[in-house]
């Protein structure tokens, strides 16, 4: 998956995030180059995927969840690079909301945790963690807690901020395994980082 989900508030506004889809598209591109049959579930992508990748375009978290649910049972590996909203507004207004109205929110499904729970034997589930924590040890602790909570096989931990991670051409990641051990670290263009992540994915699939 790639991109950022958007949760409609009314016909003109949504709750969203600044994911461009570049990191997820880089992963899909790199996998296709290695001969994989790739389906990219893309939420509001700001960049284009190559024609070697089948793209399913979605908008909201529920749409992303439904597309992933359709595709996941037939694949060897799922990589969840999309930035997914944990909550959505309880009600979507039919007309533009006036300033004084504040709505409740409801929890979105945790797609990654569900994938991990329902994976078939041999299937590899890779999550991402986007954290703003500046301290390296504290950042790693957040990544370790996240992979334990989500139950994925691998977790790509990246620090994000105003000028880091979201929308940029470069990225810097630490790959963690289920025990929280560091598998590898990579920095550089999102394409370079994608290739390093795929090396680890391929090694585990083999
Ligand atoms: O798209 P770019 O501009 O290139 O930016 C790349 C990126 C910074 C968005 C990407 O590298 C990244 O970190 N993606 C994950 C962002 C995110 O949603 O992280 P999180 O820590 O909130 O979520 C953890 C994991 O759970 C993610 O794999 C996410 O896809 C998944 N999730 C989250 C919430 C939810 N309800 N369901 C999920 O499956």
């Amino acid at each position: 998956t790639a991109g950022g989900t958007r949760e409609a508030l009314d016909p003109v506004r949504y709750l969203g995030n600044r994911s461009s889809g570049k990191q997820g598209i880089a992963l899909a591109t790199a996998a296709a180059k290695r001969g994989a049959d790739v389906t990219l579930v893309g939420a509001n992508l700001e960049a284009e995927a190559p024609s070697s990748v089948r793209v399913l375009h979605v908008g909201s978290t529920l749409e992303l969840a439904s597309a992933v649910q359709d595709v996941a049972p037939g694949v060897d590996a799922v990589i969840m690079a999309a930035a997914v909203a944990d909550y959505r507004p309880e009600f979507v207004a039919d007309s533009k909301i006036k300033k004084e109205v504040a709505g409740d929110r409801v929890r979105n499904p945790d797609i990654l945790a569900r994938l991990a729970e329902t994976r078939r034997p041999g299937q590899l589930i890779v999550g991402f963690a986007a954290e703003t924590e500046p301290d390296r040890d504290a950042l790693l602790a957040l990544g370790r807690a996240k992979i334990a909570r989500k139950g994925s096989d691998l977790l790509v931990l990246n620090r994000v901020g105003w000028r880091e991670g979201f929308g940029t051409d470069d990225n810097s990641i630490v790959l963690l395994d289920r025990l929280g051990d560091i598998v590898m670290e990579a920095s550089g263009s999102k394409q370079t980082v994608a290739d390093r992540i795929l090396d680890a994915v391929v090694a585990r699939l083999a």
Side-chain angles (χ1 to χ4, degrees):
T1 65
T5 59
R6 291 180 185 172
E7 309 300 322
L9 289 160
D10 65 22
V12 296
R13 286 172 293 204
Y14 59 82
L15 293 172
N17 62 70
R18 296 193 301 111
S19 171
S20 62
K22 286 179 188 173
Q23 185 62 78
I25 291 172
L27 281 157
T29 305
K33 266 196 195 143
R34 293 175 188 224
D37 180 1
V38 184
T39 300
L40 179 68
V41 181
N44 309 296
L45 301 178
E46 285 169 17
E48 222 174 302
S51 55
S52 52
V53 171
R54 182 170 79 116
V55 184
L56 304 178
H57 291 281
V58 297
S60 68
T61 299
L62 290 182
E63 287 169 12
L64 188 125
S66 163
V68 167
Q69 205 177 316
D70 288 347
V71 175
V75 304
D76 296 317
V78 183
I79 307 179
M80 286 287 298
V84 178
D86 287 315
Y87 292 91
R88 66 182 183 278
E90 188 174 16
F91 301 108
V92 181
D94 276 336
S95 54
K96 194 175 166 200
I97 298 170
K98 301 296 173 215
K99 267 195 220 109
E100 61 274 17
V101 182
D104 278 337
R105 51 188 203 154
V106 291
R107 232 194 140 103
N108 272 327
D110 190 324
I111 304 163
L112 178 61
R114 171 119 188 90
L115 283 168
E117 259 168 41
T118 57
R119 63 155 104 54
R120 21 173 204 82
Q123 191 178 42
L124 197 79
I125 309 295
V126 184
F128 267 69
E131 303 290 351
T132 51
E133 172 58 54
D135 178 74
R136 179 181 160 88
D137 288 341
L139 180 74
L140 284 171
L142 290 173
R144 289 178 174 126
K146 191 160 279 186
I147 192 167
R149 207 165 58 242
K150 302 262 185 179
S152 60
D153 299 292
L154 293 168
L155 188 91
V156 181
L157 173 61
N158 49 191
R159 189 184 289 120
V160 296
W162 295 114
R163 287 180 203 79
E164 266 183 304
F166 283 82
T168 56
D169 290 330
D170 294 335
N171 204 1
S172 204
I173 63 109
V174 180
L175 187 68
L176 298 176
D177 67 14
R178 291 185 84 173
L179 300 174
D181 289 334
I182 296 176
V183 178
M184 63 87 180
E185 301 189 41
S187 295
S189 71
K190 284 183 172 169
Q191 208 57 63
T192 300
V193 167
D195 259 314
R196 298 290 312 283
I197 295 168
L198 283 187
D199 288 343
V201 166
V202 169
R204 262 144 224 264
L205 283 175

